[in-house]
Amino acid sequence: MTPSDYDVAIVGGGLAGATLARALAGSGIRTLVVERALAFKDRVRGEGMLSWGRPEATALGIDGLLDSAGAIEVRYWKRYLGGAPRDCRDLIATTPGHHGCLDFYHPAMQRQLLDSAEAAGADVRRGVEITAVEAGTPPYLRMRGAHGEERISARLVIGADGRASKVRATAGFTVDRDQHPLMIAGVLHEGLYVPDDTVQYVQNPAVGRAALVFPLGKQRFRSYFVYSSANTPRTMSGSGHAGDFVTSCVETGAPREWYEKAEAAGPLAAYPGADTWVEHPYRDGVVLIGDAAAASNPAWGCGLALTLRDVRVLRDRLLATNDWDAAAHAYAREHDAYYGALHRVQSWLMLLMYETGPAADARRAHVFPNLAKDPGRAPDMQGLGPETPSDEAARRRFFAEDVV
Ligand SMILES: Cc1cc2nc3c(=O)[nH]c(=O)nc-3n(C[C@H](O)[C@H](O)[C@H](O)COP(=O)(O)OP(=O)(O)OC[C@H]3O[C@@H](n4cnc5c(N)ncnc54)[C@H](O)[C@@H]3O)c2cc1C
């Protein structure tokens, strides 16, 4: 084997990269993390980790670190249809692991986890950007930072550099994407008039929009608005548009009084909601994890849990054998199975909750009464994630095709 500068070189110090670096460095593996940010600021990312991600966090030993980053457990998940309350789920009582949704401010989480990767022995370079990856044996990283350009080798390069992954683009992976125009905008709010123990989820499928609020504790909240770019109501990014964001949430069905004393405490930003993914996220010494492997539609809130699933599966595979080529292929196969299941189920939810027009209205007129009579027909995104049944029988049950 050709000697390399590191065993593992990880690009990106987000939830994926920092958590994996901590685990591998803590097991004595020579680990480099390259993170382009010098300090983490609000990028408008996920801040509510669904219940099915909680056992992944525990298996990775990061529960205490998330607590130190200010995470709070949110017990209830309340849904509204249009303006009317629909149901309120007690997540601790009804999910298989008896976990609430774990909410945290994303930059605080990143700081805590990357610091802990460094403390575990990872070599962390901040303010350094990867410009290209050369797949092969060994793979190389090209990077640029304050000290100029550098090229380093590793036994394995791991792309954990998010939804616009440079590693993915330069290592030759082919990216697939869903073809729908859903967008998600978000802003950090202070002073919303909603309780701290409940995620609020206002769905308005007749117009293909939704408004969500995740409490972060201490009177701070992450608010999101989901909408179609084909039917853009207003500009949804830039600090001058925070009022338009609130107006759009209220028009979607969120009570106006929630936002009466709201102050935007961070940037307003919008992103495409369509999934992007690669089949088999491993080739020639380069593995992809987290959003770089598959960015799932934020409207369903599975990205953080899916990211930790990737980290846990890859960590276990790498620590189990010295044949890292075989380990990375095994991870990629497993990833395709659980991400594929999630994607399948979320495509059903998309049809029901975001498609507009007469055929979509007719579908809802048939499905909603059957879901109300028998809630077990619905997939359990919060509690089970990819383990919720996703076969043909589950699809037929969800769409109530067994009921005339
Ligand atoms: C608007 C929005 C709302 C969301 N809401 C939810 C939610 O409610 N629940 C949920 O579970 N998920 C949600 N998600 C998804 C969640 O945020 C992601 O799945 C998760 O952050 C992915 O983590 P990651 O570490 O893979 O990527 P990232 O968090 O994007 O981290 C990538 C890191 O790589 C660094 N980087 C990038 N390029 C380079 C480079 N060339 N060189 C060096 N470093 C680089 C970046 O600076 C960053 O630190 C949401 C996403 C969006 C966009």
Side-chain angles (χ1 to χ4, degrees), residues 12 15-16 35-36 43 46 48 106 110 130 160-161 224 290-291 301 303-304:
L15 180 65
E35 167 54 55
R36 74 175 164 202
R43 291 178 294 146
H106 201 104
Q110 272 193 270
I130 291 306
D161 50 342
Y224 298 112
D291 276 12
L304 298 166

Side-chain angles (χ1 to χ4, degrees), residues 11-16 34-36 40 43-48 106 110 128-130 160-163 166 184 214 224 271 290-291 298 301-304 307:
V11 184
L15 180 65
V34 184
E35 167 54 55
R36 74 175 164 202
F40 295 117
R43 291 178 294 146
V44 185
R45 286 290 189 273
E47 301 195 330
H106 201 104
Q110 272 193 270
V128 178
E129 183 161 14
I130 291 306
D161 50 342
R163 48 182 23 235
K166 179 71 92 29
I184 179 164
F214 288 86
Y224 298 112
Y271 297 89
D291 276 12
C302 283
L304 298 166
T307 294

Side-chain angles (χ1 to χ4, degrees), residues 50-107:
L50 297 187
S51 311
W52 68 269
R54 303 284 302 279
E56 304 294 356
T58 303
L60 289 160
I62 60 168
D63 289 331
L65 293 166
L66 295 174
D67 284 351
S68 305
I72 60 166
E73 180 169 49
V74 178
R75 177 163 196 148
Y76 299 102
W77 185 275
K78 185 166 182 178
R79 293 189 300 180
Y80 304 72
L81 205 49
R86 181 177 171 196
D87 52 26
C88 184
R89 180 174 183 186
D90 180 339
L91 295 169
I92 293 180
T94 63
T95 54
H98 301 290
H99 295 297
C101 181
L102 197 72
D103 290 9
F104 43 76
Y105 181 54
H106 201 104

Side-chain angles (χ1 to χ4, degrees), residues 166-223:
K166 179 71 92 29
V167 173
R168 185 176 68 194
T170 60
F173 289 93
T174 302
V175 182
D176 284 313
R177 65 188 72 235
D178 279 337
Q179 299 301 323
H180 63 70
L182 215 63
M183 299 285 293
I184 179 164
V187 69
L188 183 68
H189 269 144
E190 284 177 356
L192 287 196
Y193 188 60
V194 292
D196 252 2
D197 62 356
T198 308
V199 174
Q200 311 284 345
Y201 193 179
V202 179
Q203 297 170 296
N204 196 333
V207 292
R209 293 185 192 157
L212 294 98
V213 178
F214 288 86
L216 300 177
K218 301 187 178 146
Q219 274 300 297
R220 300 206 306 168
F221 304 85
R222 176 64 63 182
S223 301

